[in-house]
């Protein structure tokens, strides 16, 4: 299924833009043209002047942003700058103006912050890099931010996670336009997954945050962290503080927004990931992390990462181990 008319793709760039956010999706569209698509890619900046990327590489552009001509797809690349600072008004306008007439609008990684500043994510579901998903939610309270999604579609608005997820998103756009067969050819040519398994959680840092404020609760969390393999049932944990199981559950809910059982599970999950990273087998990791069985660990990995422990280890085993032999 190949469209007869050319499909215009405008990529919005600006000083500090992440170079891979621009090059990755552009490469997908260019490769799609080799298999029969007809994407016409242009780079636009707010003023029409060339910009400097995050790597110091100068990017020449094709022109300035305007409402004419209308593009079929507007892509807004991301930058490390705007999770840390407010998006300037002229940059927000540079996204808002062409978005008003574009067939669909998409952001790569932290480009979602530009869309949010332009009011383009209000009332929508969206994603961005897992590290800054909380900040996007704070800046756009009406947006439902999914911190685990690789990319999200809400109507004609698309958002994607970290920089390489821009390739996943671009492949999804190509599939929308031309179907799975052409897209599969593009993915194979680029040696990437057509659709990668799991969400962003498999790439994120361990889940545990700051220690609890309450000395009593800190005593329990330190106990679990120090010996994840011990009996940390609700009753046993409550005995350590000489409190009721109900009171302990309330402490966890009020301070950590979780349950004692889920906290113990998350500690064991983080330890199991670290053990798999170090080269332990899945069975060894389950035992050393304190899971009752491999099957119980596999269920947690499925819930947390949407992949199995073995699949996780294949993705994140070190290059040194991968190249031995």
């Amino acid at each position: 299924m190949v469209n007869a008319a050319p499909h215009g793709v405008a990529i919005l760039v600006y000083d500090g833009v992440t170079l891979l956010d621009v090059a990755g999706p552009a490469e997908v569209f260019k490769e799609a043209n080799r298999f029969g698509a007809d994407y016409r890619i242009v780079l636009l900046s707010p003023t029409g002047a060339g910009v400097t990327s995050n790597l110091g590489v100068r990017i020449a552009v094709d022109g300035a942003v305007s409402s004419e001509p209308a593009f079929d797809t507007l892509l807004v690349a991301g930058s490390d700058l705007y999770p840390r600072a407010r998006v300037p008004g002229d940059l927000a306008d540079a996204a808002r103006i062409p978005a008003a007439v574009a067939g669909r609008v998409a952001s790569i990684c932290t480009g979602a912050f530009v869309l949010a500043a332009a009011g383009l994510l209000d009332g929508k579901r969206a994603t961005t890099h897992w590290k800054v998903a909380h900040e996007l939610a704070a800046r756009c309270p009406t947006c439902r931010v999914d911190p685990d999604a690789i990319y999200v579609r809400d109507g004609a608005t698309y958002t994607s996670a970290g920089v390489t997820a821009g390739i996943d998103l671009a492949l999804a756009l190509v599939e929308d336009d031309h179907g799975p067969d052409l897209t599969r050819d593009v993915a194979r040519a680029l040696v990437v997954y057509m659709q990668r398994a799991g969400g962003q959680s498999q790439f994120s840092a361990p889940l545990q945050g700051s220690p609890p404020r309450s000395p009593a609760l800190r005593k329990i969390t330190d106990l679990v962290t120090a010996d994840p393999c011990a009996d940390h049932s609700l009753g046993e944990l409550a005995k350590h503080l000489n409190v009721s199981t109900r009171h302990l559950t309330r402490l966890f809910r009020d301070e950590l927004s979780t349950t004692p059982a889920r906290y113990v599970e998350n500690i064991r999950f983080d330890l199991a990931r670290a053990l798999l990273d170090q080269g332990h087998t899945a069975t060894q990791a389950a035992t050393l992390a304190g899971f009752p069985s491999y099957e119980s660990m596999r269920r947690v990995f499925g819930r947390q990462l949407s992949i199995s422990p073995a699949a996780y280890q294949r993705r994140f085993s070190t290059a040194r181990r991968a190249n031995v032999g």
Side-chain angles (χ1 to χ4, degrees):
M1 180 174 61
V2 177
N3 294 337
H7 184 116
V9 178
I11 304 179
L12 177 62
V13 298
Y14 45 90
D15 284 330
V17 71
T18 299
L19 190 58
L20 188 55
D21 283 6
V22 181
E27 190 69 27
V28 171
F29 293 122
K30 179 198 73 75
E31 195 67 26
N33 287 345
R34 294 184 56 241
F35 293 99
D38 191 3
Y39 291 104
R40 307 292 174 85
I41 305 165
V42 298
L43 301 184
L44 303 179
S45 70
T47 65
V51 302
T52 302
S53 76
N54 63 320
L55 299 181
V57 176
R58 289 289 296 173
I59 301 175
V61 302
D62 298 288
V65 165
S66 70
S67 59
E68 297 292 341
F71 292 96
D72 299 288
T73 299
L74 171 68
L75 288 182
V76 179
S79 168
D80 290 339
L81 298 175
Y82 297 120
R84 302 195 303 265
R86 292 289 169 183
V87 175
D90 61 341
L91 180 53
D93 289 340
R96 186 184 303 110
I97 292 168
V101 292
R104 62 190 177 196
V105 178
S107 65
I108 310 301
C109 194
T110 53
F113 285 83
V114 180
L115 295 190
L120 299 172
L121 296 184
D122 292 346
K124 294 183 179 292
R125 180 170 168 259
T127 193
T128 187
H129 194 287
W130 60 266
K131 278 189 175 181
V132 293
H134 65 287
E135 178 65 21
L136 180 63
R139 292 198 198 181
C140 189
T142 66
C143 177
R144 302 181 303 281
V145 179
D146 184 344
D148 192 42
I150 298 295
Y151 64 86
V152 165
R153 176 182 182 178
D154 190 327
T157 303
Y158 298 71
T159 50
S160 67
V163 287
T164 59
I167 294 174
D168 297 80
L169 175 58
L171 287 168
L173 296 177
V174 171
E175 185 171 8
D176 284 351
D177 297 335
H178 299 293
D181 292 340
L182 184 147
T183 309
R184 191 173 295 109
D185 288 337
V186 173
R188 286 170 173 162
L190 295 176
V191 199
V192 296
Y193 290 109
M194 186 167 169
Q195 182 176 358
R196 76 175 91 181
Q200 290 193 70
S201 299
Q202 61 188 297
F203 304 99
S204 66
L207 303 175
Q208 311 314 316
S210 302
R213 297 182 303 276
S214 162
L217 192 54
R218 193 177 306 124
K219 177 180 177 181
I220 294 299
T221 57
D222 288 347
L223 182 72
V224 175
T225 304
D227 187 8
C229 294
D231 179 2
H232 295 311
S233 63
L234 180 58
E236 285 299 314
L237 292 177
K239 285 180 185 177
H240 285 285
L241 293 184
N242 196 26
V243 298
S244 68
T245 56
R246 186 174 180 178
H247 180 68
L248 182 61
T249 299
R250 187 165 55 248
L251 282 176
F252 268 88
R253 183 184 65 241
D254 292 346
E255 284 209 46
L256 299 178
S257 300
T258 190
T259 65
R262 185 53 58 87
Y263 183 86
V264 172
E265 179 182 275
N266 285 342
I267 289 289
R268 289 171 174 166
F269 168 72
D270 285 343
L271 177 55
R273 284 211 300 181
L275 290 164
L276 291 172
D277 290 344
Q278 294 165 16
H280 291 275
T281 68
T283 302
Q284 290 170 337
T287 301
L288 293 171
F291 283 100
S293 66
Y294 166 76
E295 183 59 29
S296 65
M297 183 180 79
R298 189 189 64 78
R299 286 195 297 269
V300 173
F301 268 71
R303 185 170 62 251
Q304 296 274 18
L305 305 183
S306 301
I307 56 175
S308 69
Y312 172 86
Q313 189 171 48
R314 284 195 298 271
R315 283 168 173 76
F316 296 99
S317 59
T318 69
R320 184 167 179 262
R321 283 202 304 273
N323 288 300
V324 169

